[in-house]
């Protein structure tokens, strides 16, 4: 049986590695085009491309998979089954109809909740305590296909999007491994999603990264964790971007809150010290523990506080 794998980020690599380790006949890998990375804009392969080359597999990187020439190129591999995991492009009907065993997707949420491109980040930002992975048949809609199986994974207060990507990628690989014998044999069963329970996790934008100090301390804490280690959250200080990479859990912080917290407007710096930077929120305060001033590297907030440029009473916007 010919299997084509489609994926792009690190999230997809464990599933590809599993298919190879289990001896399945992966005839080719489809991933996004290489992109410039870092300040020097070095053209860098996707994690899935790097994994495919490590396994000696042919790689196809179409700009648009729906282009007729891309569909024709894919058809040359004569796939009986297509497996996708965070590929990053919508599969056109011509591709969905190509393999006799269908197209299956490893999706990082408990469908039908959090359909779309940023389910892991938005689960954390929204304060979910549980998420998971769904293995599903693909359909023309966005993550609307019938569900084959699901597994739950807890989100702890120590988790960030980065740690959850690792946990869910491993859970997804195991879920796929368990189902592969039935997929190959054409014996897989699936159930439709309940549209009444559907929600969407649209891709994050720059606006999603900006902190709103009128929100509760808990909401801001979740917001920061949901953007690590990718973009980071940010606020404005002295008309410049001031990034926030970590904060103390507001329910567990054993630091004495400032007595001025109740009188200050949200965003006001209340105090600075060895514990970091305390900032007024909509319902109390939040201690920032890792920050990145404009033009600087990420640093401990306590180290930045010793510089003396940020002072109590200043307001973050």
């Amino acid at each position: 049986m010919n299997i084509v794998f489609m994926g792009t980020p690190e999230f997809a690599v464990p599933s590809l590695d599993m298919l190879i380790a289990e001896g399945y006949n992966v005839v080719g890998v489809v991933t996004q085009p290489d992109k410039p990375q870092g300040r020097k804009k070095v053209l860098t392969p996707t994690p899935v491309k790097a994994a495919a080359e490590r396994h000696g597999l042919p790689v196809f990187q179409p700009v648009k998979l729906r282009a007729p020439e891309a569909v024709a190129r894919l058809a040359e591999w004569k796939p009986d089954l297509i497996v996708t995991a965070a590929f990053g492009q919508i599969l056109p009907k011509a591709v969905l109809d190509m393999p006799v065993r269908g197209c299956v997707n490893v999706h990082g949420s408990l469908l039908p909740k959090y359909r779309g491109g940023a389910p892991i980040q938005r689960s954390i930002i929204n304060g979910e305590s549980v998420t998971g992975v769904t293995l599903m048949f693909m359909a023309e809609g966005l993550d609307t296909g019938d569900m084959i199986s699901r597994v739950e994974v807890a989100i702890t207060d120590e988790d960030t999007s980065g740690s959850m990507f690792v946990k869910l990628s491993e859970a997804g690989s195991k879920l796929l491994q368990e189902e592969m014998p039935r997929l190959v044999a054409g014996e897989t069963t699936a159930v439709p999603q309940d549209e009444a329970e559907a929600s969407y996790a649209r891709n994050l934008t720059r606006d999603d990264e900006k902190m709103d100090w009128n929100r509760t301390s808990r909401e801001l804490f979740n917001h920061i964790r949901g953007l690590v280690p990718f973009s980071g959250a940010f606020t404005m200080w002295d008309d410049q971007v001031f990034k926030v990479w970590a904060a103390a859990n507001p329910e567990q912080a054993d630091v004495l809150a400032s007595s001025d917290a109740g009188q200050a407007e949200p965003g006001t710096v209340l105090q600075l010290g060895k514990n970091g930077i305390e900032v007024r929120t909509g319902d109390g305060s939040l201690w920032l523990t890792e920050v990145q001033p404009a033009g600087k590297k990420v640093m401990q907030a306590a180290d930045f506080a010793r510089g003396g440029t940020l002072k109590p009473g200043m307001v973050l916007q």
Side-chain angles (χ1 to χ4, degrees):
M1 170 175 279
N2 292 343
I3 298 172
V4 169
F5 185 85
M6 299 183 179
T8 297
E10 196 66 42
F11 175 86
V13 173
S15 292
L16 175 58
D17 287 344
M18 180 278 297
L19 291 172
I20 300 302
E22 292 290 308
Y24 292 104
N25 183 36
V26 179
V27 296
V29 172
V30 184
T31 188
Q32 296 277 53
D34 297 351
K35 290 185 178 180
Q37 300 286 339
R39 292 185 177 181
K40 294 184 178 180
K41 302 298 182 183
V42 177
L43 201 61
T44 305
T46 70
V48 164
K49 179 180 180 180
E53 291 179 338
R54 186 172 67 248
H55 292 300
L57 299 173
V59 177
F60 178 38
Q61 296 177 274
V63 175
K64 292 184 179 181
L65 185 60
R66 63 176 60 253
E69 60 271 21
V71 174
R73 168 76 180 278
L74 183 62
E76 293 176 1
W77 281 333
K78 299 179 180 179
D80 299 299
L81 174 68
I82 292 177
V83 178
T84 75
F87 171 48
Q89 295 189 41
I90 294 176
L91 273 59
K93 190 174 187 303
V95 172
L96 292 173
D97 293 343
M98 194 178 293
V100 65
R101 291 287 188 261
C103 302
V104 298
N105 181 43
V106 180
H107 182 76
S109 81
L110 296 173
L111 292 173
K113 293 182 67 176
Y114 294 106
R115 296 171 174 172
I120 300 173
Q121 296 97 317
R122 292 199 180 275
S123 293
I124 295 176
I125 290 171
N126 292 345
E128 301 283 2
S129 60
V130 176
T131 183
V133 179
T134 303
L135 185 65
M136 55 176 286
F137 280 114
M138 301 184 74
E140 288 189 79
L142 182 61
D143 299 322
T144 57
D146 292 351
M147 300 182 297
I148 299 168
S149 57
R150 304 194 305 173
V151 62
E152 292 186 354
V153 179
I155 302 174
T156 71
D157 283 344
E158 289 70 40
D159 278 315
T160 65
S161 284
S163 66
M164 289 308 300
F165 264 76
V166 173
K167 290 181 181 181
L168 294 175
S169 67
E170 294 172 350
S173 173
K174 291 178 182 178
L175 201 64
L176 179 63
Q177 181 181 16
E178 292 170 359
E179 194 61 36
M180 277 301 297
R182 288 182 288 273
L183 284 166
V184 169
E187 298 172 350
T188 297
T189 59
V191 297
Q193 297 184 39
D194 185 349
E195 290 297 322
E197 296 182 1
S199 64
Y200 288 87
R202 59 181 174 81
N203 288 327
L204 295 163
T205 66
R206 183 67 168 168
D207 289 341
D208 293 314
E209 298 166 10
K210 192 172 190 306
M211 301 176 70
D212 178 358
W213 294 105
N214 291 292
R215 301 179 72 188
T216 68
S217 300
R218 181 71 200 194
E219 288 171 336
L220 289 164
F221 176 67
N222 293 337
H223 181 208
I224 295 164
R225 295 188 302 128
L227 297 171
V228 173
F230 306 108
S231 61
F234 77 92
T235 185
M236 300 299 295
W237 171 52
D238 197 25
D239 294 326
Q240 291 187 310
V241 169
F242 187 75
K243 287 202 170 189
V244 180
W245 290 98
N249 187 327
E251 281 96 27
Q252 297 177 1
D254 56 359
V255 182
L256 183 64
S258 170
S259 59
D260 297 330
Q263 289 73 43
E265 67 173 293
T268 301
V269 176
L270 300 174
Q271 57 178 322
L272 304 93
K274 64 179 182 180
N275 299 304
I277 304 167
E278 185 189 13
V279 184
R280 176 76 165 99
T281 66
D283 70 340
S285 66
L286 183 69
W287 281 91
L288 311 184
T289 57
E290 287 186 18
V291 298
Q292 185 179 14
K296 304 289 186 180
K297 295 182 178 180
V298 179
M299 65 182 73
Q300 294 297 309
D303 294 337
F304 175 74
R306 284 195 292 270
T309 52
L310 186 66
K311 300 180 184 301
M314 290 183 173
V315 180
L316 304 177
Q317 302 293 332

